[in-house]
Amino acid sequence: GEWKTGEKARTVKESNPDLPKGEERYVQSGVDGRSIHIRYIAKDKDGNVLHDIDFPSVYSAQHEIIEVGTGTASSGSDSS
């Protein structure tokens, strides 16, 4: 079969309190989704068809993920 386009990958930003406020960290690249129809035919040694199956194979989009810092710089208030 031919590949068909699926859902477009998008950028997702997630808050991360462990990163300083405003800092961004790239976590995962994005890849668009796609699908294809597969036909599987299995034959015995004499050429007789044992299985003839047609099925879709779908790959979901993998979204780009960027973490955005929401934390604050250490103020030293946790020292004793």
Side-chain angles (χ1 to χ4, degrees):
E2 290 185 31
W3 285 102
K4 295 182 180 178
T5 58
E7 178 187 10
K8 293 287 185 190
R10 64 181 195 277
T11 299
V12 177
K13 292 195 174 188
E14 299 178 345
S15 298
N16 182 342
D18 295 329
L19 285 177
K21 187 172 186 170
E23 185 175 314
E24 292 186 348
R25 180 170 56 194
Y26 185 78
V27 177
Q28 175 177 289
S29 61
V31 177
D32 292 341
R34 58 188 178 159
S35 64
I36 191 169
H37 265 79
I38 306 292
R39 185 166 184 199
Y40 168 76
I41 301 172
K43 298 179 181 180
D44 65 15
K45 66 179 180 174
D46 298 321
N48 298 311
V49 175
L50 301 173
H51 301 282
D52 186 348
I53 303 168
D54 183 26
F55 60 94
S57 185
V58 179
Y59 298 85
S60 299
Q62 177 178 311
H63 302 303
E64 176 181 63
I65 299 175
I66 298 173
E67 290 181 337
V68 179
T70 58
T72 56
S74 176
S75 62
S77 61
D78 61 343
S79 60
S80 29

